[in-house]
Amino acid sequence: MKQVVLSTSSELDALVDELAAADEFAIDTEFHRERSYYPHLALVQVAWHGRIAIVDPLAVDVSSMARVFESDALAILHASDQDLEVLQRACGAVPKRMFDSQVCAGFLGYQSASLATLTEALLKVHLNKGDQLADWTRRPLSETQLAYAAGDVAHLLELKAAIATRLEKAGRAEWAAEECAILLAKDRSETVPEQAWWRLPHNRQLRGTNRSVAQAVAAWREERAQRLDLPVRFVLSDLGVMTVAQRQPTSREELVRTRGVDGRHLAGTAGDELLEAVARGKALDPALVCLPPSHHLERPNRPAVVLASAYAGQRAAELGIDPAILATRADLVAFFQARPVGRLTSGWRAHLLGDDLKRLAAGRAALA
């Protein structure tokens, strides 16, 4: 299939009309986020009815593609999580219906398979991945870049058909559809600044004012990174946040002597803002500290998670399903709380695994 590059509003409007009326279409994106807080969209590739279009978002506003996503057309993506985040930000919407070829292939035993792996295995087609690390923001794009970008969607419709046929034969189409719906419904809103400290390594070791200062400093870091569109590590490293939370400096001189903090972190108003954040944290009412969700297990339940993990692995092997799709350790920990929560409590996972784990936890079943 030959690709066309669209760089005008009229061309994009015509594409939107066609895609919104289609039964299904394949879509992929190229973006960069190595030096920014937000992902920066560089290309949108779509394939439908034997055609491929590459939309240049540096030349045209792609927000009108929201109309495609709001239609009943089925969007076909591969490893869609980051693409959905990028499309949500660029278009203000994600597809209403989706088929993720990586996720769905997991129900056939393929473990987090790449697009190249699946097209090779199921279609006997070899994809050229030579331009995978190209700079997609530079113009003009080379012919090899355009060919690579087109290749990411050229075979997705055929791949979807091959996977869907196998899922139907295995009686797993509904499981895959449910999982894609869960992925679509994922919350992609920005990090709440007051919860940013939850991502710090060893955050659960913090106590008292160390915890409240960590919350205030991490929130300041998150807000500054958002405002300047910089990775949070460019504002202050995780080590810097943790050390500041523990030492609680009150002057620039103390800041400079704090491990993980150097001059580039204190340029302009950053140093004064950081000290203000420390002061806010020290004065914060402990009742206002946002605590991360508890995944603490009562001691009697800890062996149950170990047994359940072994059983989940065996169950995945019996079913020929990617074990990571069936249940992660976090899923098992959530399930073995005093009040079970999480993905194992409902849907296809409850049917395949959750009900058995309830019997295991109640002592009505055992592993041998």
Side-chain angles (χ1 to χ4, degrees):
M1 290 184 286
K2 184 179 180 180
Q3 71 271 6
V4 294
V5 180
L6 310 184
S7 57
T8 68
S9 296
S10 59
E11 291 172 332
L12 180 57
D13 289 342
L15 173 67
V16 167
D17 289 339
E18 286 201 46
L19 294 180
D23 293 329
E24 59 184 19
F25 63 93
I27 185 167
D28 186 51
T29 67
E30 304 296 343
F31 59 91
H32 293 282
R33 70 185 317 166
E34 295 85 359
R35 302 184 64 82
S36 62
Y37 183 89
Y38 299 105
H40 288 208
L41 182 62
L43 282 184
V44 179
Q45 308 100 278
V46 292
W48 78 109
H49 297 321
R51 301 170 62 187
I52 295 178
I54 298 176
V55 182
D56 184 357
L58 305 188
V60 63
D61 182 2
V62 298
S63 61
S64 61
M65 293 191 71
R67 184 156 60 88
V68 179
F69 302 151
E70 292 161 359
S71 73
D72 291 325
L74 176 68
I76 303 164
L77 299 93
H78 181 84
S80 63
D81 199 30
Q82 291 191 75
D83 293 306
L84 293 173
E85 179 190 354
V86 173
L87 292 171
Q88 176 71 60
R89 177 164 175 79
C91 306
V94 295
K96 185 192 298 184
R97 300 170 58 228
M98 178 186 74
F99 183 100
D100 185 316
S101 55
Q102 184 183 72
V103 169
C104 293
F107 290 93
L108 302 175
Y110 293 94
Q111 298 187 23
S112 302
S114 68
L115 180 60
T117 297
L118 290 179
T119 54
E120 187 88 47
L122 300 178
L123 305 179
K124 309 306 179 188
V125 172
H126 176 72
L127 293 183
N128 181 7
K129 307 302 287 184
D131 279 306
Q132 192 168 15
L133 300 179
D135 183 352
W136 297 102
T137 63
R138 299 189 66 176
R139 299 293 185 269
L141 295 169
S142 69
E143 288 300 319
T144 56
Q145 282 181 291
L146 292 174
Y148 169 90
D152 279 346
V153 293
H155 305 285
L156 271 178
L157 293 171
E158 187 181 359
L159 184 62
K160 175 260 180 184
I163 294 172
T165 298
R166 288 165 172 77
L167 288 172
E168 287 289 347
K169 288 181 179 178
R172 298 174 180 180
E174 289 188 10
W175 303 351
E178 182 181 328
E179 195 61 19
C180 287
I182 291 172
L183 187 54
L184 268 180
K186 179 181 175 180
D187 182 9
R188 294 182 175 82
S189 55
E190 292 182 7
T191 299
V192 176
E194 288 73 25
Q195 297 174 359
W197 75 280
W198 297 357
R199 301 197 306 260
L200 294 172
H202 312 299
N203 65 72
R204 294 181 185 277
Q205 297 177 6
L206 297 169
R207 295 291 184 272
T209 59
N210 289 352
R211 178 184 285 172
S212 59
V213 171
Q215 174 175 304
V217 171
W220 164 78
R221 179 179 70 162
E222 198 77 20
E223 291 169 337
R224 184 173 177 86
Q226 290 172 355
R227 186 170 69 250
L228 300 178
D229 193 19
L230 291 172
V232 291
R233 69 181 185 279
F234 284 20
V235 177
L236 189 61
S237 67
D238 285 348
L239 174 62
V241 176
M242 289 292 287
T243 310
V244 167
Q246 292 169 350
R247 297 193 61 178
Q248 301 178 14
T250 59
S251 67
R252 276 182 168 267
E253 291 72 22
E254 290 182 36
L255 274 177
V256 172
R257 294 195 300 270
T258 300
R259 186 179 178 190
V261 181
D262 56 41
R264 62 188 173 129
H265 298 134
L266 307 177
T269 61
D272 292 336
E273 292 176 10
L274 179 50
L275 290 172
E276 291 170 5
V278 172
R280 285 196 303 273
K282 292 168 69 174
L284 186 67
D285 185 334
L288 298 180
V289 174
C290 297
L291 298 178
S294 175
H295 294 295
H296 175 71
L297 276 172
E298 297 295 331
R299 187 173 297 276
N301 286 346
R302 294 176 187 173
V305 170
V306 177
L307 287 175
S309 180
Y311 179 66
Q314 177 62 28
R315 194 81 176 97
E318 292 171 354
L319 294 165
I321 293 178
D322 180 358
I325 288 181
L326 182 58
T328 63
R329 188 180 188 282
D331 290 327
L332 297 171
V333 169
F335 185 81
F336 283 100
Q337 299 296 318
R339 290 187 176 181
V341 294
R343 302 191 302 175
L344 293 173
T345 60
S346 62
W348 67 271
R349 287 185 178 86
H351 172 68
L352 292 180
L353 187 62
D355 293 342
D356 288 344
L357 295 183
K358 288 179 182 177
R359 291 194 291 274
L360 181 68
R364 297 195 304 271
L367 296 182

